[in-house]
Every structure is written in C-alpha cells, then in structure tokens.
Amino acid sequence: MALPPQFKSIQHHLRTAQEHEKRDPVVAYYCRLYAMQTGMKLDSKSPECRKFLVNLMDQLETMKKELGDNESISQEIVGNAHIENYALKMFLYADNEDRSGRFHKNMIKSFYTASLLLDVLCVFGEMSEENVQHRKYARWKATYIHNCLKNGETPQSGPMEGEAYDDEFGADGGMPSMSSYQPPSSTLSPGPGGGTGTMPHANFNNIQIPPGAHAPANTPAEIPPPTDPVKPVPTPRSMPAVDPSLLNASQEGDIRLTAEDFTRAQKYCKYAGSALQYEDVGTAIQNLQKALKLLTTGKE
C-alpha cells in the first residue's frame, strides 16, 4: 500500500522494518509500532491515512501472534533492551568507522538507522537524555558525512565544535532516500577536498554509551571489508573485581525499597542480560553487582 504523503516522516522507520523482516523480526515489529503510533498523531481522520493505519494495525497483530513466545514482544522491558542495544550496536560500529577515518555509505546508513531506532524507543516511554544525545549526534553525523562525500570533501572524524547546530533535519532527517544506501562491495574513500564550511556545534566529546551496548564481532549493518584488509587485533577484556560483600547478599535491616528502586534494579538486570548476549562478561558483572547492592542496601 502506498504511503500517504502525510506520513512522509515515518517512511524510513517503515523501510527499516521491512529490511529487518527476516534479520530481526523484533526490530521490524517495534519500528512498525512506532510508525503506527506516530501516524495516529499525524493524521488518523483522512480516508487514505485511516486505511493505511488499519492495514498497519493488522500487520502488527499478525506479527504479535507469530512472535508471541518471544520475550522481547511479551515483556516491554526486554523489548526496550533489545531495541536500545541494537541501536547502540549500530551506533558504535559507525562511530568506530568515523573515528578511524573510514567514511563510506554503509557507515552513513548505520548512523542514520541508529537514529531511527532510537526514535523507536519512544514507544517504551520517555527517552533518556543519553539516548536523546546519541540520536542527535547519529543523525547529524549521517547528514554531515553524506554531504561531505556528495560534495567531494573529506569529513572530519569524531565530534566537532563550531557554530550552533539544529537537530531538526526535516521530514526525511535531511537525508536522501535511504533505499539508495545498500551495503557497498567495498569501502568508499572520500574524494579530495578541504573544509566543510560551517560546522555544527555539539558537545559530544563526553558521550556515554549505556552498559551492555558494546558491539559484538558481527554487527547488523553487514559491514563490508575495508579496501586494505587489516588483521583484527583482539581487545583484551578487563574483568571487574567482584565485591566480596555481595557474594552472600541479604537485605540489611528494615530497608524499604520504592517502586523506583525496583525499576532501577530491573534495568540493571536487563543490561546484564543484554551484555551476555554479546559475551560481554565484564559489563554483565558490573550491572548485576549494582542490582544486588541496590536491593540489599537501598543505595546505588
């Protein structure tokens, strides 16, 4: 069914859903859920929009039945963790490519898709300030690098300082149709060039990646091999020391935990579980210790 023009701002979220239909149905489901919720706010009265939304609702209902046994669908907190970690995994891949000076279309798509998936987190409630900053940075980077390569200029790696920048990139996020961004057969080299004119300002030097978001060996972005193959150097993992006082933990005295405490403890356990999916033992231990300390002492 053709997308009504009123829904132009969600076209890339729907395309991301389509791209992940088989690769990761959970991502596809929540992208469509975000599109439906956003579409309802944009226009739920005109005949063409109502017809489109009803079709989307039917699609979501079918997916929910098919994925009913998947905890990421049946439990919101697990679904939140799944989308957040997937988005940050793509963000980290693109950020690593950027900081290494490897600029290519697949990296641009990863930055932009990460920003779309961070949009999707809105279906779970208010976004954290950290993820708001990640979204701004990823969308800005995708636009900035795309424009540099388009104009034959060499992008500058990493965060930059300059004039004030605006996070608003228009209905399409300031990007061309993402259907043109297919994983390339080889990494693109930026053309010759100098400056990029006015540089957007953003204080992203101290950006914090939430726990459990470390990129595994295989990212969802179908990373192309670099032009000059480089043998990967394994990064040693440092294991955090286990707090002995937590090994036989029991609640101290008359501690009254609040609903907020339980939510925070759940979040730490959620991050630990997500970290284990990526075999990140260190992050899992850190977050489990935080959860134990909070539950036994009432303090973080």
Side-chain angles (χ1 to χ4, degrees), residues 14-123:
L14 290 169
R15 184 172 289 124
T16 300
Q18 191 175 10
E19 290 172 350
H20 288 79
E21 198 80 63
K22 294 181 179 178
R23 185 192 303 173
D24 193 326
V26 172
V27 169
Y29 175 82
Y30 282 113
C31 282
R32 289 194 175 106
L33 181 60
Y34 170 83
M36 187 195 72
Q37 291 181 356
T38 305
M40 293 285 287
K41 295 174 186 176
L42 292 171
D43 186 346
S44 61
K45 295 182 179 180
S46 66
E48 59 178 340
C49 289
R50 284 182 65 85
K51 185 177 180 181
F52 186 89
L53 290 171
V54 168
N55 184 69
L56 192 55
M57 287 178 193
D58 290 343
Q59 200 171 9
L60 282 166
E61 193 61 34
T62 300
M63 291 186 74
K64 194 169 186 177
K65 288 178 182 177
E66 292 173 350
L67 301 170
D69 295 334
N70 192 314
E71 286 189 344
S72 292
I73 302 297
S74 60
Q75 297 185 36
E76 190 174 277
I77 195 167
V78 181
N80 190 343
H82 185 101
I83 300 299
E84 184 174 30
N85 280 284
Y86 194 95
L88 293 172
K89 184 166 60 170
M90 297 196 83
F91 177 96
L92 281 176
Y93 159 67
D95 190 51
N96 288 336
E97 291 292 283
D98 174 44
R99 291 171 189 267
S100 300
R102 294 189 291 267
F103 306 108
H104 49 87
K105 288 183 178 180
N106 203 51
M107 172 255 261
I108 296 171
K109 182 171 183 177
S110 293
F111 262 136
Y112 192 66
T113 302
S115 78
L116 297 175
L117 293 177
L118 289 168
D119 284 339
V120 172
L121 289 178
C122 293
V123 303

Side-chain angles (χ1 to χ4, degrees), residues 152-184:
E153 299 172 344
T154 303
Q156 293 192 31
S157 298
M160 294 183 294
E161 295 184 0
E163 298 183 8
Y165 98 106
D166 191 347
D167 184 41
E168 297 301 321
F169 295 96
D172 296 320
M175 298 293 293
S177 172
M178 291 305 290
S179 61
S180 64
Y181 286 113
Q182 299 300 326

